[in-house]
Amino acid sequence: MAVRRKKRILGIPDEFWIGFVIMIGVFLKLVYDIETGYQLSGINIGEWKSVRGAAPGSGSLGVIQYYYNHHWLPNFDPRTYSGYAAPPFYYIVSSLLMELFHRLVGWETEFCIRLLQCANVIYVTVGTSCGISMLSKLGVRGRKMTVSILFLSFFPEFYIMTAIIGPDALVFMLVMLSLNSALEWYLTRRYRDIRSLAVKLGLAVLTGYRAWFVVPAIAVLLFYGWADGRSHHVPLKTQFKHFGITASVLAWIWPLYLFIRFRLPFFYSDPVSGDWQSFRGLYSAGKRLSLTAWNLFSHFHTTGITGREYNIWIQTFKTACFDFSFIDTSLGVVRFLAGLMLLLTVVLCIIWHIMGVKVLTGSRISVPFKVFLVSGYGSILLFYVGCCFARPYAETSNFRMIPELILFPLACMGLCSRDAEEDSTFLRVISAISSYGILVLSVLSALLFGLFS
């Protein structure tokens, strides 16, 4: 196979440029957080109360402050205030950061809350770095790896996630760590890898229930690992037993606590308002899942938490690029660039699904990896659509629920062709469109979130 020679930029090794791109992405996210503040999204943010002895506050900041003040789990029915029934790991970690910087160091409350945003940047960066590692394990190489790194560093959703005070960024990091550990274990069968997987997966569920979405993908790798019987020092039976115990304890401790102490149903979440309940009767399942509702792209931003954006796919695309007015589109040039970024996102999604069909029907990756990609993508998407129907409102129908979904079509893009001379004309064309599309999307994302947020 005649593979094209790699070209170094300015004679500098590719590793330097990869690190440089990742650090630019981190820097721009930090700048974006500083410019926008933490009140932008308005999704259950709550407030930090300055009055000592006041009633517990609702929302993310209220829950963080409760743990900060009391150093213990809530001693009241979590249904009393919004946010307290959610898995607690993010709020505990955030309260410890507030304890360190606010109480011990003595920095201002507002500044310390901004530091929680900076922590989100770390979470997202670790998560995307795990994505790079996973792509490498799946066999992505060369230019495809380079553009994948560019995409993961500058995709709009990752800017949005860093700015929001809430568990989304930490869940994303732990889920990506879990998927990466599952792939690592499948390739090595080392006991330390499956033990690490158990802890990361358990903590992911203890941070957000949506981490259950990736369990089928992990189960596929565990099944194929069990089926071939290969192990590394520690027998597979012992490895699986310890994995099951550790992951189950961490994943179920919070639902069991709420059930035993407050008689809350397993995986309870705050109820949907009556207004949103009536939403279900307004639009059929066909309308909500239709692929022809292009007129909804006429306005960029979602209509807010109390608004109604009925089509799941349109809502998902728009929240991936803009969410709740995370870019100021009052200027005409910004509206044009934002529309171009949204269009590129849709085009790349379509192309990557075409490339995915090519990968899954070819022989360039092994069957276990094919099943891993299909089960991971399918389970996350099906669970997400189910959540959108069960709780049809803007906070649920949001790409922040499924950012790890990006990994699976991105892997298919990277595996579809090898930049070799024998690639068909069709493969070369869609690969070029994908690569240049990612480049343009990354530049647009950096400009819009860096200058016009």
Side-chain angles (χ1 to χ4, degrees):
M1 179 179 67
V3 180
R4 298 168 185 170
R5 291 185 63 186
K6 297 180 181 179
K7 296 181 179 179
R8 289 189 172 189
I9 302 175
L10 300 178
I12 300 174
D14 293 343
E15 289 77 11
F16 170 83
W17 293 112
I18 290 171
F20 181 74
V21 166
I22 294 173
M23 292 311 299
I24 289 294
V26 171
F27 174 75
L28 289 177
K29 291 181 181 71
L30 289 171
V31 171
Y32 176 72
D33 289 354
I34 293 170
E35 289 180 346
T36 59
Y38 60 87
Q39 292 284 359
L40 188 60
S41 76
I43 297 181
N44 203 26
I45 182 66
E47 63 176 339
W48 188 278
K49 295 188 176 183
S50 59
V51 179
R52 290 184 177 274
S58 297
S60 295
L61 286 177
V63 180
I64 293 171
Q65 187 174 20
Y66 180 87
Y67 284 108
Y68 169 82
N69 289 334
H70 300 281
H71 304 98
W72 196 245
L73 299 176
N75 58 4
F76 53 85
D77 192 329
R79 289 168 289 197
T80 308
Y81 302 98
S82 172
Y84 287 87
F89 187 64
Y90 167 78
Y91 303 106
I92 293 173
V93 171
S94 298
S95 68
L96 291 174
L97 291 175
M98 293 296 293
E99 184 82 24
L100 173 62
F101 295 112
H102 183 46
R103 197 192 303 275
L104 298 181
V105 180
W107 290 343
E108 293 291 333
T109 302
E110 189 84 5
F111 183 73
C112 292
I113 294 174
R114 291 295 189 95
L115 289 179
L116 297 183
Q117 288 183 293
C118 296
N120 283 345
V121 175
I122 296 173
Y123 302 151
V124 168
T125 303
V126 172
T128 53
S129 298
C130 286
I132 296 169
S133 176
M134 293 166 65
L135 292 174
S136 177
K137 291 180 176 66
L138 290 168
V140 179
R141 299 287 185 271
R143 185 180 67 182
K144 294 299 182 64
M145 176 60 83
T146 303
V147 296
S148 297
I149 293 169
L150 196 65
F151 181 83
L152 290 172
S153 298
F154 293 99
F155 186 61
E157 176 61 29
F158 297 135
Y159 285 89
I160 296 169
M161 286 173 60
T162 62
I164 296 173
I165 301 297
D168 299 293
L170 184 57
V171 177
F172 170 70
M173 182 190 81
L174 291 169
V175 165
M176 295 297 283
L177 284 168
S178 300
L179 289 169
N180 189 44
S181 290
L183 279 171
E184 184 71 25
W185 176 84
Y186 177 77
L187 294 172
T188 64
R189 311 302 165 86
R190 292 180 302 209
Y191 173 63
R192 70 182 186 189
D193 291 325
I194 199 170
R195 185 175 55 190
S196 174
L197 167 61
V199 173
K200 293 167 184 173
L201 182 60
L203 289 178
V205 177
L206 196 58
T207 308
Y209 290 142
R210 71 173 179 84
W212 285 108
F213 293 3
V214 299
V215 168
I218 293 173
V220 164
L221 295 176
L222 296 179
F223 169 78
Y224 277 102
W226 176 269
D228 67 22
R230 180 170 59 87
S231 64
H232 183 270
H233 298 312
V234 179
L236 289 179
K237 184 176 181 180
T238 302
Q239 293 191 31
F240 275 69
K241 180 178 69 175
H242 292 173
F243 167 81
I245 293 172
T246 304
S248 298
V249 169
L250 289 172
W252 282 93
I253 189 171
W254 182 245
L256 285 172
Y257 169 78
L258 293 180
F259 175 77
I260 294 171
R261 183 161 186 183
F262 303 107
R263 290 294 182 261
L264 262 67
F266 288 138
F267 310 115
Y268 171 86
S269 58
D270 295 328
V272 181
S273 66
D275 178 60
W276 278 109
Q277 293 288 357
S278 65
F279 175 82
R280 295 176 178 174
L282 296 176
Y283 303 101
S284 66
K287 282 188 174 182
R288 299 206 66 201
L289 294 172
S290 172
L291 298 176
T292 59
W294 299 106
N295 61 305
L296 294 179
F297 278 127
S298 59
H299 59 280
F300 291 153
H301 297 304
T302 57
T303 51
I305 305 172
T306 58
R308 287 172 172 169
E309 192 84 80
Y310 67 86
N311 188 271
I312 291 174
W313 310 124
I314 305 298
Q315 170 81 344
T316 302
F317 275 115
K318 290 200 289 188
T319 54
C321 292
F322 315 118
D323 215 324
F324 298 98
S325 300
F326 275 76
I327 298 175
D328 182 5
T329 57
S330 57
L331 295 175
V333 64
V334 178
R335 287 187 61 83
F336 172 77
L337 294 177
L340 181 57
M341 184 172 70
L342 179 59
L343 175 63
L344 275 173
T345 302
V346 175
V347 169
L348 286 174
C349 178
I350 295 171
I351 290 176
W352 290 356
H353 281 77
I354 295 173
M355 299 172 94
V357 173
K358 183 71 176 177
V359 169
L360 297 173
T361 55
S363 58
R364 291 188 173 177
I365 58 172
S366 63
V367 171
F369 284 166
K370 287 183 181 180
V371 180
F372 168 74
L373 292 174
V374 171
S375 61
Y377 181 80
S379 62
I380 293 172
L381 201 58
L382 287 175
F383 278 119
Y384 171 66
V385 171
C387 289
C388 291
F389 276 100
R391 300 172 62 84
Y393 63 115
E395 186 179 357
T396 301
S397 302
N398 194 301
F399 194 79
R400 286 188 292 110
M401 289 279 291
I402 51 170
E404 53 278 352
L405 186 72
I406 285 177
L407 172 77
F408 300 95
L410 190 62
C412 290
M413 182 277 296
L415 294 167
C416 184
S417 66
R418 296 176 179 173
D419 296 327
E421 296 294 341
E422 61 265 26
D423 285 342
S424 66
T425 302
F426 175 74
L427 282 182
R428 293 183 189 180
V429 169
I430 61 174
S431 294
I433 294 173
S434 179
S435 297
Y436 288 112
I438 289 174
L439 178 60
V440 175
L441 178 67
S442 300
V443 172
L444 288 173
S445 177
L447 283 174
L448 290 171
F449 284 92
L451 299 178
F452 301 108
S453 55

